Amino acid sequence: MGYWIIALQKELPIFSYMILEQGALTGVYTEQQPFAKISRRGKAYPPSVLRSLSPIHAVVQQLAATYQVSNTAILIAWAIAKRTIPIIGITKLHHIKSLKEAVGLRLTANDMHRLANNADLTAISIPGEWE
């Protein structure tokens, strides 16, 4: 989908949200190191779901190592390359570093293809409470 869509003859930006899956794709949380069970994120992303995210996790980690950036930077750069405006929550100083890394990162068409294909392999849909 493009960064701009035409609606009533006006260009509108597309915003992407939850691109980090509430932190589940950052690399901090894994099946072996899950969210706290009693937390909202722990209920939405139990170890079984974190295991299902492994196809996309593997590619994100490979690309992060290749480009020498954080997993978060890869995911933000992916959203930007898809011509969306990612909604980023900044609550810690290292979040700003990841955002700066992402802004300067240009993923290749092959990178984009690998990310999309592996995201599809997860076959996961976790709607927010509002959906």
Side-chain angles (χ1 to χ4, degrees):
M1 187 172 291
Y3 177 82
W4 299 105
I5 59 171
I6 304 299
L8 302 174
Q9 308 267 323
K10 295 185 182 204
E11 295 179 348
L12 301 171
I14 303 293
F15 293 90
S16 51
Y17 66 96
M18 289 184 49
I19 62 170
L20 303 176
E21 286 295 330
Q22 297 291 302
L25 292 177
T26 62
V28 173
Y29 303 98
T30 64
E31 182 179 6
Q32 295 75 30
Q33 196 171 10
F35 293 103
K37 288 180 183 179
I38 61 169
S39 70
R40 182 176 50 84
R41 292 189 299 170
K43 291 175 184 167
Y45 300 92
S48 61
V49 171
L50 293 172
R51 181 182 334 110
S52 297
L53 290 173
S54 63
I56 187 67
H57 238 231
V59 174
V60 170
Q61 288 176 326
Q62 290 169 355
L63 292 174
T66 298
Y67 289 106
Q68 298 182 336
V69 297
S70 66
N71 288 10
T72 301
I74 295 296
L75 294 162
I76 295 169
W78 185 20
I80 293 169
K82 290 173 79 66
R83 300 182 51 87
T84 69
I85 301 170
I87 299 171
I88 311 291
I90 304 289
T91 58
K92 297 179 177 91
L93 198 52
H94 70 271
H95 295 165
I96 295 171
K97 180 180 182 241
S98 293
L99 181 57
K100 287 173 67 176
E101 290 173 340
V103 169
L105 183 58
R106 298 293 174 259
L107 298 171
T108 67
N110 185 52
D111 297 337
M112 297 292 290
H113 180 74
R114 287 179 60 211
L115 286 163
N117 282 350
N118 284 279
D120 288 344
L121 289 175
T122 67
I124 294 177
S125 175
I126 309 222
E129 295 170 5
W130 58 90
E131 296 178 274

